[in-house]
Amino acid sequence: MKILYVASQAPEAESLAVAREIMDLQQSLSESSSDVLKTVFLPDITIEELPSAGEQRHQS
């Protein structure tokens, strides 16, 4: 299973703070599955870079 979590910064916001949301998501996933879950974060990736990032992760 793969989950794509996309967050965007509002124009008036100084920064994008999603750390808490990511931790909550990781916790919920780990509690609902007996499988080992691997999470990968790409904090400053652009939408154009997503396809190549997915290919690189698949190869490693």
Side-chain angles (χ1 to χ4, degrees), residues 11-32:
E12 66 276 2
E14 291 184 24
S15 64
L16 180 62
V18 295
R20 176 65 185 187
E21 293 177 27
I22 291 170
M23 288 189 310
D24 290 346
L25 180 59
Q26 284 180 306
Q27 183 176 1
S28 295
L29 290 172
S30 67
E31 290 173 355
S32 64

Side-chain angles (χ1 to χ4, degrees), residues 15-55:
S15 64
L16 180 62
V18 295
R20 176 65 185 187
E21 293 177 27
I22 291 170
M23 288 189 310
D24 290 346
L25 180 59
Q26 284 180 306
Q27 183 176 1
S28 295
L29 290 172
S30 67
E31 290 173 355
S32 64
S33 175
S34 59
D35 294 333
V36 175
L37 301 173
K38 178 182 175 188
T39 55
V40 177
F41 299 99
L42 308 168
D44 295 314
I45 196 166
T46 64
I47 194 79
E48 293 82 12
E49 296 169 319
L50 277 175
S52 62
E55 290 171 12

